[in-house]
Amino acid sequence: PALPHFSDFTEMMRALGYPRLISMENFHTPNFMLVSEVLLWLVKRYEPQSDIPGDVDTEQDRVFFIKAVAQFMATKAHIKLNTKRLYQADGFAVKELLKVTSVLYGAMNSQGGERAELPEEDSTKFKFDLGSKIADLKAARQLASEITSKGAVLYDLLGKEVELREARTESIARPLEINEAEKVMKIAINSVLEEVQKTKDMLNNVALDEASLEAKIEKRKLELERSQKRLQTLQSVRPAFMDEYEKIEEQLQKQYSAYLEKFRNVTYMEQLLDDHRRTEQEMFE
């Protein structure tokens, strides 16, 4: 297929700082490796922290990669890509790649119009990081929502200030009684002491539980060792009737061999008898 605007594509990629030189021969035949490499590079330009996997060894991996890139471009950059053309990885894929490179190239030109006067060696050093701008936009939206919610809470609190002001003024104007304050402080101290004592009791209980668990664990270990020793002893001891069992099993094997031989003989004799009867019947007829 013809490569529409291929010169524009190569020029934009070179201006964006793509490290490799792309020629027309690269897309005369399907070249999925190059298309995937370009797509992954463009995604990194949009958002360096993107986690799209670059594994394209199998057919399933390639389909997943194309879908992930298309979804990323649709959600992050609002660019709709044709996944079938991208999967073809030929000249038609260049049309889809141009959609992304055109946006990047236009954004780069809007960031700095003086780039045309830069030297050639400096132009390759230009780095366009749209991902950071998107991150800043997300942070700004989050801060705006937080400011709105905090403002609503502050408005509600200020609405209660009229009632609270009277109560505060009354509390300040009331004379402070030493005995009452001392009584309240003693109650608070006793409450704190009770909480401390409860915490100490809980710690003591934890220590007791830990000691009990350690004793149980040690007991289980001893039982396990005894069971293992008993198992080893049982495995090393030969059963009492094993010799007799082996002799009977050997006799059974001989009897089974004799049974098979007799069964074959009987079957053969029955077949001969059937043949003989068939022959007599034919002669009689």
Side-chain angles (χ1 to χ4, degrees), residues 268-280:
Y268 178 69
M269 295 300 292
E270 289 178 352
Q271 183 180 0
L272 291 178
L273 181 60
D274 291 340
D275 294 341
H276 180 68
R277 288 176 179 175
R278 191 182 303 107
T279 304
E280 288 182 350

Side-chain angles (χ1 to χ4, degrees), residues 55-98:
D55 189 8
V56 292
D57 295 335
T58 62
E59 180 180 353
Q60 185 177 2
D61 293 337
R62 294 182 179 185
V63 173
F64 179 78
F65 174 77
I66 293 296
K67 287 183 178 180
V69 172
Q71 184 178 3
F72 174 84
M73 288 299 175
T75 55
K76 298 294 185 180
H78 303 288
I79 300 175
K80 185 177 181 180
L81 298 176
N82 191 322
T83 55
K84 292 183 179 180
R85 289 186 175 181
L86 287 176
Y87 191 82
Q88 290 177 1
D90 53 9
F92 291 105
V94 178
K95 289 184 177 181
E96 305 304 316
L97 295 175
L98 269 170

Side-chain angles (χ1 to χ4, degrees), residues 15 102-116 126 128:
S102 299
V103 175
L104 279 173
Y105 187 75
M108 183 185 67
N109 290 334
S110 64
Q111 287 289 325
E114 70 278 1
R115 187 185 177 280
F126 180 80
F128 176 73

